Amino acid sequence: MGRKLKYAAAALLVVAAGIYLNNTSLLAPHRDGKPVLLAHRGIAQRFDERDVKNDTCTATRMLPPVHDHLENTLRSMRASFDAGADVVELDVHPTTDGEFAVFHDWTLDCRTDGQGVTRAQSMAKLKLLDIGYGYTADGGKTFPFRGKGIGMMPTLSEVFVAFPDKKLLINVKSRDPSEGEKLAAVLNALPAERRRTIMVYGGDEPIDMIRRLTPDVRTISRAAIRSCLIGYIGYGWTGFVPSACRNAMVLLPVNVAPWLWGWPDRFLNRMDGANSAVFVLGPYSGGEFSTGIDTPDLLARLPRGYSGGIWTNEIEAIATIAGKNNN
């Protein structure tokens, strides 16, 4: 019995050593270079993030402004790229006249002088709105951007024309599979090399449609990211990458990252081999709202020499710390 126990212990040690050698980042080729920075909503007005939900009117929770940019505008996107962003995230809604409007909210009431569901409007009508109308940092006493955002809501096609060679992340706000089909048609009309610079995320149903109809565009949905991370934590030690993590945008909360096999370099190399791009978010603690890597303290939680993706709401500050500010 003693000899059998010794053999069993030796076998376990061999297996453990194999798992360690197969997953330690210390033995993985280091990925040189600076991190890839993603500007969420471009350069945007910040707001009080406490207890924020998907339907919270963030324009009325605006913090005192330190710049005059409005999210999801061509001007904001251009400033983001100039500040050092490699990717800019934008939100879209289909319109009744066949366009995609670039705008965050499901309804117009919070941020603009219009009313109603965004996708129930024509682009011609949306172009007449003031997208800076609802912003206030003092409970409605003053509205510093009122009258300054008229006609500034762009179409997705205008974004493609303005930034023909820039990387973009498109957020589909609905769970409507027909929206995925419409967006897939728009993307498939682009040259193949342009599609490879675009990623899409959002509701499970439209993303499933885009993933099927436009397979060269990297995508992610809430269900897919959960399946990707749970699957990788479960059996990623083998080196096998779950199908949900392939040809994908892998969104990774910074407090989850250390639990992943091979973090950081071996994990990043495996995702790169699966044609997937990894972007680290701020800590996740449940709920509907996710933060970005927006402060020096959060940026310092990433490994030294980290060269993967970073999702941030503070592109100017984070780009400066990361040595990527172009100004």
Side-chain angles (χ1 to χ4, degrees), residues 41 72 89-93 101-104 171 173 201:
R41 303 193 202 179
N72 279 306
E89 186 262 5
L90 55 98
D91 308 286
V92 298
H93 300 266
V102 179
F103 185 68
H104 178 271
N171 182 14
K173 306 300 292 186
Y201 78 115

Side-chain angles (χ1 to χ4, degrees), residues 222-283:
R222 184 180 294 272
I225 192 59
R226 187 183 302 113
S227 177
C228 167
L229 296 181
I230 291 175
Y232 189 83
I233 291 172
Y235 55 83
W237 59 272
T238 64
F240 183 77
V241 176
S243 59
C245 298
R246 295 180 176 274
N247 196 41
M249 179 190 190
V250 179
L251 297 176
L252 179 59
V254 68
N255 54 331
V256 174
W259 295 94
L260 298 181
W261 299 100
W263 175 257
D265 289 319
R266 194 177 292 274
F267 174 77
L268 293 175
N269 291 338
R270 285 172 178 167
M271 294 300 112
D272 188 60
N275 192 38
S276 293
V278 176
F279 288 87
V280 175
L281 302 163

Side-chain angles (χ1 to χ4, degrees), residues 8 13 36 60 62 81 105 107 116 147 173 192 225 243 245 261 280 294 302 309:
L13 287 174
V36 178
T60 60
M62 181 180 69
F81 286 123
D105 296 354
T107 62
K173 306 300 292 186
I225 192 59
S243 59
C245 298
W261 299 100
V280 175
D294 300 332
L302 294 172

